[in-house]
Amino acid sequence: MKIGVPKEILNNENRVAMTPPGVSMMVQKGHEVWVEKGAGIGSGFSDAFYEEMGAVIKETPEEVWAADLVLKIKEPTRDEYQFFREGLILFTYLHLAASDELTDQLLTNKVTAIGYETVQPSEGVLPLLMPMSEVAGRMAVQLGARYLEKQSGGKGILLGAVPGVNKGNVVVIGGGVVGSNAARMALGLGANVTLLDVNQQRLTELSERFGSELQTLMSNSYNLEKVLPQADFVIGEVLLP
Amino acid sequence: MKIGVPKEILNNENRVAMTPPGVSMMVQKGHEVWVEKGAGIGSGFSDAFYEEMGAVIKETPEEVWAADLVLKIKEPTRDEYQFFREGLILFTYLHLAASDELTDQLLTNKVTAIGYETVQPSEGVLPLLMPMSEVAGRMAVQLGARYLEKQSGGKGILLGAVPGVNKGNVVVIGGGVVGSNAARMALGLGANVTLLDVNQQRLTELSERFGSELQTLMSNSYNLEKVLPQADFVIGEVLLP
Amino acid sequence: MKIGVPKEILNNENRVAMTPPGVSMMVQKGHEVWVEKGAGIGSGFSDAFYEEMGAVIKETPEEVWAADLVLKIKEPTRDEYQFFREGLILFTYLHLAASDELTDQLLTNKVTAIGYETVQPSEGVLPLLMPMSEVAGRMAVQLGARYLEKQSGGKGILLGAVPGVNKGNVVVIGGGVVGSNAARMALGLGANVTLLDVNQQRLTELSERFGSELQTLMSNSYNLEKVLPQADFVIGEVLLP
Amino acid sequence: MKIGVPKEILNNENRVAMTPPGVSMMVQKGHEVWVEKGAGIGSGFSDAFYEEMGAVIKETPEEVWAADLVLKIKEPTRDEYQFFREGLILFTYLHLAASDELTDQLLTNKVTAIGYETVQPSEGVLPLLMPMSEVAGRMAVQLGARYLEKQSGGKGILLGAVPGVNKGNVVVIGGGVVGSNAARMALGLGANVTLLDVNQQRLTELSERFGSELQTLMSNSYNLEKVLPQADFVIGEVLLP
Amino acid sequence: MKIGVPKEILNNENRVAMTPPGVSMMVQKGHEVWVEKGAGIGSGFSDAFYEEMGAVIKETPEEVWAADLVLKIKEPTRDEYQFFREGLILFTYLHLAASDELTDQLLTNKVTAIGYETVQPSEGVLPLLMPMSEVAGRMAVQLGARYLEKQSGGKGILLGAVPGVNKGNVVVIGGGVVGSNAARMALGLGANVTLLDVNQQRLTELSERFGSELQTLMSNSYNLEKVLPQADFVIGEVLLP
Amino acid sequence: MKIGVPKEILNNENRVAMTPPGVSMMVQKGHEVWVEKGAGIGSGFSDAFYEEMGAVIKETPEEVWAADLVLKIKEPTRDEYQFFREGLILFTYLHLAASDELTDQLLTNKVTAIGYETVQPSEGVLPLLMPMSEVAGRMAVQLGARYLEKQSGGKGILLGAVPGVNKGNVVVIGGGVVGSNAARMALGLGANVTLLDVNQQRLTELSERFGSELQTLMSNSYNLEKVLPQADFVIGEVLLP
């Protein structure tokens, strides 16, 4: 099969749909992989690295979109609708609910499109969202810690404080992948962490994983009103594509 | 040397100055150990066990106090002054500051008396107070936990709570042997623990030992006024004989 | 819907079926909640707190039982059979197997009764028994520790001992919610803990969660005969309502 | 004694020499504390808070410097030399080695000046540098983590990575207060941490404290040449005032 | 039912299909257990111990194979085919795929044979292979550590090194029961451990269990080529009977 | 200064007195380092590596011993006495108490000899014995684990067992560098570890470092008689050169 990996168009989108080692795995299985020139730059993968792993570098999006299967990160933009055609398999984050236009274009052009966000090998497991959520939860703490710094305009609080000083309070709302990863990082930095969730079963699991260092609380308006005013920052879990 | 171990006289004093294995160590070094009948009962050591380890069981205090060296737990009571005599070496908790009478009796009778509480092999190290303090710190948490139970008249709080519920707050004032042992047990039960001390260096040591699970705070009136009203119970470190 | 929360009648039953924040959640969803005067006292919830969260305080059980849905803790007593009527939904611990009389009364009066102990969202998960079991397992260790104290008539053993002294031995029979929570607390207090279960898979899970600090053993008569005589106390897991 | 706390003059110096609770401690001991208007703003302490704790707020530096003892953070600037006089006790970071001019001014005016950086209650212990170093070590990791982010111009590396991805490599040169605090934070974020020091004894201490999660290495040119090229960022310990 | 436990015939096969406590459990349930003389010697179980637990010791394999149910460890050898007969239930590791001859013999003689390796109470759970795999994973590290010793012809590397020296690198390929147990032991010895698996979900589970001490990596040829040359030893997970 | 590093003569002595990076440090400080051909082979350091780091490779012991300072591992043998001369500084393990002959030779020839085992920068600190003791303690557990294996003639015990099976018992006598390192490794392998020492202060330190996973016991004949019969293996701390 011919697999195409176009360069992402959106500003600040540094991700790329396939890493060079991923290319190597596909090539070993007998596929041909076409990568658009510079597609990996934002992620630190040079064209040379892709070639070394067996990819063919293509100069233009047209060439890459001519593949049987196109792998992307972001939902296609208007500039990319022109490449839609019957027989094309498109595998990317789609978020169709948010765009009637995109849905129409895919239907009209008879593209076989699969949204990463809908792949569910078993009930409740979303393997293509999970790594994004893991990154999101971990980055959230790093960003929170930064915006508490004086020079970023914050209160001048160090999450883990130093001996003899009050630790920062981090409140995490939701104990899913984002929330549990955020809790892990915030505990790692030495903060005082309270995690709320509406699912008692999940609170028990997280309590077993993190031990008594993590304060778990049933998420209800009463508890939220108690903990939010004390929080130095709050991380609310939402599904991120 | 003849070593005498009298039975403690005070009510509820279950301790005994030498355990049967301790007797064995002394006997191996060539000493003779005389233990008063029933001296070890309160600690669960039978006369038979003492005999097996090499002690001679004596029927009366008179016989035991006739030894060269007498080992006790509590400071001697008036009933025991009669046994004071020149040449006697007495090794026990003395607390002379609290009793002019005892001091006079020892001086008048020319007893060589050494208080456990004064033995200091190097600056700041009190090896004969330490185990008492370790027990005190650990027991304090156990007692505190009990008096939070509903049936003991408490608020019905479980220190470590269960997932989804606020943990109990334990405040420990003083980070010495008692305080650090109390902190260890309270953390072990899953409580939220704040320890205050006036010594920044000590807070750093405890912070390194317990990690970020322990909140250390500089002990000053401002911090105390902040944490005490939130505490479910407070452990104040004092030296215990 | 009108929801009634009567005061529990049994002696020493301090629990209440709904907390004030729980009331708030129901009220936010458009329900009306009637709480019997003083129903929350045993749990530390004042009538004022219930009112603040949106409940209506009722003077008599009659008024509360007039609700569409009645939430209780304990199975109804004979004094409460008078309130049974067609259309009433009763949600409480029922334990019907233990009382033909109660079963007859419910059937005769056509009450829709749901036992907490039977709610099972998925195979083997009993969410309304779990928190009771968590509390039971944790409290069991606290009680065991107390009854080893000299002044409670015990052997004078401190579970975690102090350095240089043998730790207490705790044997936990059964690795379910009660047993695993008991193991956690006993390890937290520094005891030597052996947990037995007939399910090898469960032993592996607990071994992964607690690490090598916990000795897991296959539960059979041979192993029990080996470990029980060494135990300072034994916690046997049974389902507690 | 009258104690003066001037507002720091240097840009971006947000610290203040005494916190409001510190004022309270001094006042309780019978001293009078004069704080310059706005001195605590950068640290989040309002004048009102200082007053509540017993301080007297003064409008001008002149008034504050008229105290018997002046507490500052930074070494005095030329604007402050005018306040030097015989009898004044000045307690601040001085760093005299770096400024002949300041040294001369202090000598000429017969000021009794004590540098925080020289206070050494016992060999090798610098209590007034330690908290600065703790903050420095912990902040260093937070800053390093930030500058590895893509949007800060970094390589787009998350120190603790996510499962399945290589963790970031942090190299810490020097195992003193700064280095050990940096190591603690970097490990907390899940990084791969190598700490080098020339003191074998210190490496053993840190190895005991952090366990096998920390790679300690003898600091020599060979080892440095091996680990530096692999590092995603490097923290070099220097004493920070 | 009569249950027979023959002595294993293969060299160096020290295992036995039923322990003495296992015999006791069967006898309590009303079964009769016949154990071949010396069957437990390799595992340290004397005939006397079996008898004490209720077994009957038999002199010859003929007698034991006359039971209704025969429990073994290894697949039957040619010497044992003579005991096959209609009505016999044989429970052992069978590995039929590897031997047409054995399959034919079982079919021809109408033996009801169940392979331990095929018992699967639920999807993916192989309880009779798991303990073998746990042992295999843990032993693998012990063996690896040995063969790194100088006197075993190795490089003279101690996995956990000592402070100031590089730790040994252990690479574990596969994160199943063998791999995760190997990782646990290698981390316990203080090694630097990298575990690769093709299943991202599994890497996340192991990352949660072991924390950041374990480096997990997606198993692909690129990553393998990176980590294998650095490895001091490699443990590859394969299913072991 | 000229520094000579001879090849060790004793069988199975694989150590060498200076590593190539050590050579580099000396050369950077202006010294000249002469290494005997093949001196590093046993430790995995080639002559080429020494040369790369700045050493001069010498063909014979005569040439190396002509240096101002000679660094060795083992005490000199009779074959090496011929190189003794006035002015020579010899730095190695000496153990003079064990050899009058060596002592005489050094005195007669006026060699300035310093035994590694006597270097004590401060009371109780023996930096040149410590790494040997660390290795000894860690290796001891590895060897003990091996000799419990069936194929090494042992009882067939895996120290950390597997879930459901009794862990192995390791007894460590002495809590110095050897003993504490042995305890660390044995705990890492999942064994049940009891450490005995006569110093209560040291037991407290180790108890704080290892937590409640380690059973510490006062070392006396009574306790030894209790624990030794239960031990699967015993590690006795002795100072190793």
Side-chain angles (χ1 to χ4, degrees), chain F residues 94-113:
Chain F
L94 277 176
H95 301 295
L96 292 182
S99 169
D100 286 348
E101 190 182 286
L102 175 58
T103 311
D104 288 345
Q105 288 286 333
L106 290 168
L107 285 171
T108 310
N109 292 292
K110 301 188 173 164
V111 175
T112 303

PDB file of all heavy atoms in Angstrom, chain F residues 94-113:
ATOM      1  N   LEU F  94      48.010  -2.290  52.951  1.00  0.00           N
ATOM      2  CA  LEU F  94      49.250  -2.813  53.524  1.00  0.00           C
ATOM      3  C   LEU F  94      49.033  -3.955  54.523  1.00  0.00           C
ATOM      4  O   LEU F  94      49.756  -4.938  54.519  1.00  0.00           O
ATOM      5  CB  LEU F  94      50.025  -1.693  54.222  1.00  0.00           C
ATOM      6  CG  LEU F  94      50.892  -0.828  53.306  1.00  0.00           C
ATOM      7  CD1 LEU F  94      51.528   0.305  54.092  1.00  0.00           C
ATOM      8  CD2 LEU F  94      51.997  -1.674  52.650  1.00  0.00           C
ATOM      9  N   HIS F  95      48.033  -3.785  55.417  1.00  0.00           N
ATOM     10  CA  HIS F  95      47.765  -4.810  56.437  1.00  0.00           C
ATOM     11  C   HIS F  95      49.032  -5.277  57.145  1.00  0.00           C
ATOM     12  O   HIS F  95      49.327  -6.463  57.204  1.00  0.00           O
ATOM     13  CB  HIS F  95      47.059  -6.024  55.791  1.00  0.00           C
ATOM     14  CG  HIS F  95      45.784  -5.634  55.145  1.00  0.00           C
ATOM     15  ND1 HIS F  95      44.702  -5.163  55.850  1.00  0.00           N
ATOM     16  CD2 HIS F  95      45.425  -5.584  53.839  1.00  0.00           C
ATOM     17  CE1 HIS F  95      43.728  -4.852  55.008  1.00  0.00           C
ATOM     18  NE2 HIS F  95      44.133  -5.097  53.786  1.00  0.00           N
ATOM     19  N   LEU F  96      49.768  -4.308  57.659  1.00  0.00           N
ATOM     20  CA  LEU F  96      51.062  -4.620  58.281  1.00  0.00           C
ATOM     21  C   LEU F  96      50.940  -5.563  59.464  1.00  0.00           C
ATOM     22  O   LEU F  96      51.844  -6.369  59.722  1.00  0.00           O
ATOM     23  CB  LEU F  96      51.747  -3.317  58.705  1.00  0.00           C
ATOM     24  CG  LEU F  96      52.192  -2.455  57.519  1.00  0.00           C
ATOM     25  CD1 LEU F  96      52.907  -1.209  58.018  1.00  0.00           C
ATOM     26  CD2 LEU F  96      53.106  -3.264  56.584  1.00  0.00           C
ATOM     27  N   ALA F  97      49.808  -5.468  60.179  1.00  0.00           N
ATOM     28  CA  ALA F  97      49.649  -6.321  61.358  1.00  0.00           C
ATOM     29  C   ALA F  97      49.821  -7.793  61.008  1.00  0.00           C
ATOM     30  O   ALA F  97      50.222  -8.607  61.841  1.00  0.00           O
ATOM     31  CB  ALA F  97      48.277  -6.084  61.999  1.00  0.00           C
ATOM     32  N   ALA F  98      49.530  -8.132  59.763  1.00  0.00           N
ATOM     33  CA  ALA F  98      49.560  -9.539  59.357  1.00  0.00           C
ATOM     34  C   ALA F  98      50.932  -9.992  58.874  1.00  0.00           C
ATOM     35  O   ALA F  98      51.158 -11.163  58.607  1.00  0.00           O
ATOM     36  CB  ALA F  98      48.519  -9.778  58.272  1.00  0.00           C
ATOM     37  N   SER F  99      51.894  -9.097  58.741  1.00  0.00           N
ATOM     38  CA  SER F  99      53.180  -9.511  58.173  1.00  0.00           C
ATOM     39  C   SER F  99      54.359  -8.740  58.762  1.00  0.00           C
ATOM     40  O   SER F  99      54.627  -7.600  58.386  1.00  0.00           O
ATOM     41  CB  SER F  99      53.136  -9.331  56.641  1.00  0.00           C
ATOM     42  OG  SER F  99      54.441  -9.492  56.113  1.00  0.00           O
ATOM     43  N   ASP F 100      55.066  -9.366  59.671  1.00  0.00           N
ATOM     44  CA  ASP F 100      56.280  -8.756  60.228  1.00  0.00           C
ATOM     45  C   ASP F 100      57.321  -8.564  59.138  1.00  0.00           C
ATOM     46  O   ASP F 100      58.037  -7.568  59.116  1.00  0.00           O
ATOM     47  CB  ASP F 100      56.866  -9.669  61.323  1.00  0.00           C
ATOM     48  CG  ASP F 100      56.035  -9.598  62.597  1.00  0.00           C
ATOM     49  OD1 ASP F 100      55.169  -8.698  62.704  1.00  0.00           O
ATOM     50  OD2 ASP F 100      56.235 -10.454  63.478  1.00  0.00           O
ATOM     51  N   GLU F 101      57.358  -9.525  58.228  1.00  0.00           N
ATOM     52  CA  GLU F 101      58.362  -9.482  57.170  1.00  0.00           C
ATOM     53  C   GLU F 101      58.234  -8.221  56.334  1.00  0.00           C
ATOM     54  O   GLU F 101      59.189  -7.485  56.101  1.00  0.00           O
ATOM     55  CB  GLU F 101      58.197 -10.729  56.298  1.00  0.00           C
ATOM     56  CG  GLU F 101      59.313 -10.933  55.314  1.00  0.00           C
ATOM     57  CD  GLU F 101      59.062 -12.177  54.451  1.00  0.00           C
ATOM     58  OE1 GLU F 101      59.212 -13.307  54.953  1.00  0.00           O
ATOM     59  OE2 GLU F 101      58.696 -11.993  53.266  1.00  0.00           O
ATOM     60  N   LEU F 102      57.003  -7.956  55.894  1.00  0.00           N
ATOM     61  CA  LEU F 102      56.771  -6.774  55.077  1.00  0.00           C
ATOM     62  C   LEU F 102      57.117  -5.504  55.853  1.00  0.00           C
ATOM     63  O   LEU F 102      57.772  -4.589  55.330  1.00  0.00           O
ATOM     64  CB  LEU F 102      55.308  -6.742  54.610  1.00  0.00           C
ATOM     65  CG  LEU F 102      54.868  -5.499  53.838  1.00  0.00           C
ATOM     66  CD1 LEU F 102      55.709  -5.265  52.595  1.00  0.00           C
ATOM     67  CD2 LEU F 102      53.391  -5.604  53.433  1.00  0.00           C
ATOM     68  N   THR F 103      56.697  -5.481  57.128  1.00  0.00           N
ATOM     69  CA  THR F 103      56.992  -4.309  57.962  1.00  0.00           C
ATOM     70  C   THR F 103      58.500  -4.067  58.017  1.00  0.00           C
ATOM     71  O   THR F 103      58.979  -2.935  57.838  1.00  0.00           O
ATOM     72  CB  THR F 103      56.429  -4.538  59.386  1.00  0.00           C
ATOM     73  OG1 THR F 103      55.078  -4.976  59.270  1.00  0.00           O
ATOM     74  CG2 THR F 103      56.485  -3.258  60.207  1.00  0.00           C
ATOM     75  N   ASP F 104      59.248  -5.118  58.267  1.00  0.00           N
ATOM     76  CA  ASP F 104      60.707  -4.998  58.328  1.00  0.00           C
ATOM     77  C   ASP F 104      61.292  -4.473  57.030  1.00  0.00           C
ATOM     78  O   ASP F 104      62.129  -3.575  57.010  1.00  0.00           O
ATOM     79  CB  ASP F 104      61.345  -6.374  58.619  1.00  0.00           C
ATOM     80  CG  ASP F 104      61.110  -6.808  60.068  1.00  0.00           C
ATOM     81  OD1 ASP F 104      60.718  -5.941  60.889  1.00  0.00           O
ATOM     82  OD2 ASP F 104      61.293  -8.007  60.354  1.00  0.00           O
ATOM     83  N   GLN F 105      60.843  -5.061  55.934  1.00  0.00           N
ATOM     84  CA  GLN F 105      61.365  -4.650  54.627  1.00  0.00           C
ATOM     85  C   GLN F 105      61.125  -3.165  54.368  1.00  0.00           C
ATOM     86  O   GLN F 105      61.976  -2.453  53.875  1.00  0.00           O
ATOM     87  CB  GLN F 105      60.697  -5.471  53.512  1.00  0.00           C
ATOM     88  CG  GLN F 105      61.163  -6.912  53.476  1.00  0.00           C
ATOM     89  CD  GLN F 105      62.574  -7.045  52.925  1.00  0.00           C
ATOM     90  OE1 GLN F 105      63.021  -6.207  52.130  1.00  0.00           O
ATOM     91  NE2 GLN F 105      63.307  -8.063  53.363  1.00  0.00           N
ATOM     92  N   LEU F 106      59.919  -2.701  54.710  1.00  0.00           N
ATOM     93  CA  LEU F 106      59.595  -1.285  54.488  1.00  0.00           C
ATOM     94  C   LEU F 106      60.472  -0.396  55.373  1.00  0.00           C
ATOM     95  O   LEU F 106      61.003   0.620  54.916  1.00  0.00           O
ATOM     96  CB  LEU F 106      58.113  -1.021  54.793  1.00  0.00           C
ATOM     97  CG  LEU F 106      57.127  -1.640  53.795  1.00  0.00           C
ATOM     98  CD1 LEU F 106      55.696  -1.584  54.338  1.00  0.00           C
ATOM     99  CD2 LEU F 106      57.210  -0.923  52.442  1.00  0.00           C
ATOM    100  N   LEU F 107      60.650  -0.804  56.636  1.00  0.00           N
ATOM    101  CA  LEU F 107      61.446   0.000  57.563  1.00  0.00           C
ATOM    102  C   LEU F 107      62.908   0.015  57.144  1.00  0.00           C
ATOM    103  O   LEU F 107      63.544   1.068  57.069  1.00  0.00           O
ATOM    104  CB  LEU F 107      61.329  -0.571  58.986  1.00  0.00           C
ATOM    105  CG  LEU F 107      59.998  -0.289  59.687  1.00  0.00           C
ATOM    106  CD1 LEU F 107      59.898  -1.067  60.996  1.00  0.00           C
ATOM    107  CD2 LEU F 107      59.861   1.217  59.960  1.00  0.00           C
ATOM    108  N   THR F 108      63.456  -1.172  56.889  1.00  0.00           N
ATOM    109  CA  THR F 108      64.863  -1.299  56.514  1.00  0.00           C
ATOM    110  C   THR F 108      65.181  -0.455  55.283  1.00  0.00           C
ATOM    111  O   THR F 108      66.206   0.203  55.200  1.00  0.00           O
ATOM    112  CB  THR F 108      65.179  -2.779  56.184  1.00  0.00           C
ATOM    113  OG1 THR F 108      64.685  -3.571  57.244  1.00  0.00           O
ATOM    114  CG2 THR F 108      66.670  -2.991  55.994  1.00  0.00           C
ATOM    115  N   ASN F 109      64.232  -0.476  54.306  1.00  0.00           N
ATOM    116  CA  ASN F 109      64.481   0.236  53.059  1.00  0.00           C
ATOM    117  C   ASN F 109      63.993   1.673  53.075  1.00  0.00           C
ATOM    118  O   ASN F 109      64.033   2.361  52.057  1.00  0.00           O
ATOM    119  CB  ASN F 109      63.830  -0.521  51.899  1.00  0.00           C
ATOM    120  CG  ASN F 109      64.526  -1.843  51.640  1.00  0.00           C
ATOM    121  OD1 ASN F 109      65.670  -1.875  51.191  1.00  0.00           O
ATOM    122  ND2 ASN F 109      63.847  -2.939  51.982  1.00  0.00           N
ATOM    123  N   LYS F 110      63.464   2.092  54.241  1.00  0.00           N
ATOM    124  CA  LYS F 110      63.041   3.486  54.415  1.00  0.00           C
ATOM    125  C   LYS F 110      62.014   3.953  53.384  1.00  0.00           C
ATOM    126  O   LYS F 110      62.065   5.077  52.880  1.00  0.00           O
ATOM    127  CB  LYS F 110      64.265   4.416  54.394  1.00  0.00           C
ATOM    128  CG  LYS F 110      65.227   4.036  55.515  1.00  0.00           C
ATOM    129  CD  LYS F 110      66.351   5.023  55.683  1.00  0.00           C
ATOM    130  CE  LYS F 110      67.164   4.650  56.927  1.00  0.00           C
ATOM    131  NZ  LYS F 110      68.477   5.314  56.942  1.00  0.00           N
ATOM    132  N   VAL F 111      61.073   3.037  53.076  1.00  0.00           N
ATOM    133  CA  VAL F 111      59.976   3.403  52.175  1.00  0.00           C
ATOM    134  C   VAL F 111      58.935   4.196  52.959  1.00  0.00           C
ATOM    135  O   VAL F 111      58.668   3.890  54.121  1.00  0.00           O
ATOM    136  CB  VAL F 111      59.315   2.129  51.596  1.00  0.00           C
ATOM    137  CG1 VAL F 111      58.098   2.491  50.753  1.00  0.00           C
ATOM    138  CG2 VAL F 111      60.333   1.325  50.797  1.00  0.00           C
ATOM    139  N   THR F 112      58.410   5.257  52.345  1.00  0.00           N
ATOM    140  CA  THR F 112      57.277   5.964  52.947  1.00  0.00           C
ATOM    141  C   THR F 112      56.018   5.248  52.473  1.00  0.00           C
ATOM    142  O   THR F 112      55.593   5.418  51.328  1.00  0.00           O
ATOM    143  CB  THR F 112      57.235   7.436  52.487  1.00  0.00           C
ATOM    144  OG1 THR F 112      58.478   8.036  52.825  1.00  0.00           O
ATOM    145  CG2 THR F 112      56.079   8.179  53.138  1.00  0.00           C
ATOM    146  N   ALA F 113      55.434   4.399  53.357  1.00  0.00           N
ATOM    147  CA  ALA F 113      54.318   3.567  52.925  1.00  0.00           C
ATOM    148  C   ALA F 113      53.039   3.971  53.652  1.00  0.00           C
ATOM    149  O   ALA F 113      53.050   4.130  54.876  1.00  0.00           O
ATOM    150  CB  ALA F 113      54.633   2.103  53.196  1.00  0.00           C
TER     151      ALA F 113
END
